Every structure is written in C-alpha cells, then in structure tokens.
Amino acid sequence: MMENCLFCKIIKGDIPSTKVYEDEYCYAFRDINPQAPVHVLVIPKIHVANMAEISLLPQEAQTALFAAVKKIAEAEKLEKGFRVVSNCGPHACQSVHHLHLHILGGRQLAETMV
Ligand code: AMP
C-alpha cells in the first residue's frame, strides 16, 4: 500500500467504489467518469506506478491481472468486443499513478485509438 494513492485507498475501502471483481491479486471497479457504457478499471493490489513497472509485480499478480480482464469482459457481456487501455506516463496523460487497465465496451468504439 502506498500512502496518498487514490487507488490504494479504494482497495482498502477508505474511498468508495463500485466493485465488479476481486481476487487475491486484483481489484476492479467502475470508472467514476465512464467513457463508454462499460468502463471498468482493473488494478493490482500491490502498488506499482504503471506498465513501465509491471515487472515489479510477482508473476502470479501479472497473470491474474490479464485473467481478470477476460473474466470481467465475460461478466459484463462484452462478447461483441472491448478495448483494453493502460495509460503510462505523461505522454499518455496518466492521471492516477497506480497501474490500471481500462476495459471499455458496450458500444461500437472509434476506429482510431488516439
Ligand atoms: P488515467 O487517466 O489513465 O490515469 O485514468 C484514471 C481513471 O481513474 C480516469 O478514467 C478517472 O475517471 C478514474 N477515476 C479517478 N478517480 C476515481 C474514483 N474515485 N473512482 C473511480 N474511478 C476514478
């Protein structure tokens, strides 16, 4: 846990969230400012800043993160497709410095990504 990290506080329950999934390694919740009908954030319970630091996570936690994406996509009925995005660093406008994967879906998404 990292002090003053918004997402660490969400994992602890100190800040409320709408949980959609949890296991030993990951927590997932609805984005407060959704960009699509389904917009879920999946985060590791161990604090790392972003994708550039993913190798700091134990292998099991890395695997669990991607396994969680598949489980959430199924639970959210995204069989027509979905997009997974992880903003990393200033060029990507990362605003919360705790690794998170955005799962976006529930409608036709734009052909362009940026
Ligand atoms: P990023 O810009 O990739 O760092 O994404 C951070 C995301 O966190 C944004 O999509 C925000 O809407 C979302 N967010 C910020 N605060 C909260 C919160 N308290 N609960 C849920 N989502 C949040």
Side-chain angles (χ1 to χ4, degrees), residues 3-112:
E3 268 194 42
N4 295 323
C5 168
L6 176 67
F7 287 174
C8 284
K9 288 179 183 166
I10 284 178
I11 293 165
K12 273 175 73 185
D14 291 349
I15 290 177
S17 65
T18 306
K19 177 167 101 173
V20 299
Y21 176 81
E22 183 171 17
D23 63 29
E24 185 182 348
Y25 299 106
C26 311
Y27 186 82
F29 54 104
R30 298 204 187 278
D31 196 292
I32 204 167
N33 182 25
Q35 305 295 310
V38 175
H39 188 169
V40 172
L41 301 175
V42 193
I43 62 178
K45 288 186 173 175
I46 297 171
H47 180 96
V48 294
N50 54 38
M51 270 293 171
E53 293 191 354
I54 195 168
S55 58
L56 296 176
L57 290 176
Q59 191 66 55
E60 307 79 55
Q62 297 182 36
T63 303
L65 202 60
F66 290 97
V69 170
K70 174 179 158 59
K71 290 177 196 166
I72 293 160
E74 286 172 359
E76 297 290 325
K77 304 191 188 328
L78 298 178
E79 60 278 342
K80 285 191 172 172
F82 57 93
R83 186 166 287 158
V84 180
V85 174
S86 190
N87 293 320
C88 178
H91 266 192
C93 303
Q94 182 181 5
S95 64
V96 179
H97 299 278
H98 181 128
L99 173 62
H100 50 283
L101 305 182
H102 297 256
I103 303 174
L104 297 148
R107 66 163 162 80
Q108 179 64 55
L109 300 174
E111 208 168 334
T112 54

